[in-house]
Amino acid sequence: RRQARWLIVALAVPLLCILDVLGPELLHRLWIAIYPWSVEDRLLGLEFFVVPIIAGVGAVAVIDTVRRLIPSVSNSRGRVLTVALVAVMALGAVAEGVAGSLATLSWQLGINQHVSSRDVFVIQSMAAILPRGAVVLNDGVTDDGQWITALTDDVEAEPKPYADLYPSDWRVTAMADACTDPAQAEKALAGVQAVFVGTNQMPGAVNVWKASCIAALPGLRLVAGTIGGPAAFVVTGGSGG
């Protein structure tokens, strides 16, 4: 059990990485190099590989403790009660873990939007045209553009961890106002190679993009989908790069 202390260290490493990603970013070059594996949710996912091993070590420790206690109990009834108590505690821990996991998964399924097959088709069609690692301007977590990095080799200009913290980033709001303020929307194209507008939008979203308004911006060419959405545009000139 003393030799298994390294498991505690293994559990602490992802937590320390998350603190650095969300804080001073002392290992900024490393996080950039391994992106998107350096985002918060993926670092947290590493815990799932360590926790079961720690739980197993703990179960073995409990069994050893029971084995040492049984000889010290003077009568058979006391031994039975000791074993029964430990069994009830173990079953209770398993039941609580299953119930907690079920509640967490149900909650996640309830809040996560399901990806539209049409949006996925447009995202993949866009990726086939763009060079690998192209920066795509997306509407944060409002639509299926949040899965561009997961589905392709392209990079989201508004990645999910950032968009969760800053849902009204200036680029997002500028593109949402493309119909009324096209000049500001055109500025938002600086440094990106493409724009994606999805149709499967999060309920209650505020900064909703309209493909028809974005299609009217100079320097954009529709390469997949329709101006009714979903739509993918390539930046061909103007402020884009």
Side-chain angles (χ1 to χ4, degrees):
R1 287 196 297 272
R2 285 193 296 269
Q3 294 177 346
R5 289 176 182 172
W6 64 270
L7 289 170
I8 303 298
V9 176
L11 191 65
V13 168
L15 295 177
L16 293 174
C17 291
I18 291 170
L19 289 175
D20 187 53
V21 167
L22 297 178
E25 293 196 9
L26 299 176
L27 301 176
H28 179 76
R29 286 189 175 182
L30 174 62
W31 307 142
I32 294 298
I34 65 174
Y35 180 86
W37 298 102
S38 56
V39 297
E40 181 184 355
D41 56 344
R42 298 198 181 188
L43 288 172
L44 282 172
L46 295 176
E47 307 286 356
F48 289 99
F49 296 96
V50 181
V51 170
I53 301 175
I54 294 178
V57 172
V60 172
V62 170
I63 293 172
D64 287 345
T65 301
V66 172
R67 285 177 177 173
R68 288 197 302 269
L69 285 175
I70 288 178
S72 65
V73 179
S74 58
N75 55 71
S76 59
R77 184 178 179 182
R79 293 176 183 176
V80 171
L81 288 174
T82 301
V83 173
L85 178 61
V86 173
V88 169
M89 292 174 62
L91 290 174
V94 171
E96 180 65 23
V98 170
S101 298
L102 181 61
T104 300
L105 289 174
S106 298
W107 175 75
Q108 287 285 352
L109 288 173
I111 64 172
N112 286 346
Q113 59 187 113
H114 298 286
V115 180
S116 163
S117 58
R118 289 197 305 153
D119 285 9
V120 172
F121 176 77
V122 172
I123 288 173
Q124 292 178 334
S125 299
M126 174 183 65
I129 298 170
L130 296 172
R132 184 175 183 179
V135 179
V136 180
L137 184 57
N138 62 297
D139 194 4
V141 294
T142 297
D143 62 28
D144 290 336
Q146 63 181 296
W147 305 115
I148 288 172
T149 301
L151 296 171
T152 71
D153 291 326
D154 301 327
V155 179
E156 300 158 21
E158 299 284 336
K160 190 175 186 301
Y162 178 82
D164 282 334
L165 293 174
Y166 306 101
S168 295
D169 180 69
W170 79 271
R171 289 180 185 264
V172 172
T173 57
M175 297 300 282
D177 295 333
C179 279
T180 57
D181 190 358
Q184 187 69 5
E186 190 176 355
K187 290 180 181 178
L189 300 177
V192 304
Q193 285 75 57
V195 178
F196 172 79
V197 184
T199 54
N200 190 25
Q201 293 162 345
M202 184 174 60
V206 176
N207 300 305
V208 177
W209 293 4
K210 295 181 177 64
S212 57
C213 295
I214 293 174
L217 296 176
L220 287 182
R221 176 169 59 90
L222 181 69
V223 293
T226 67
I227 59 172
F233 304 89
V234 168
V235 179
T236 58
S239 301

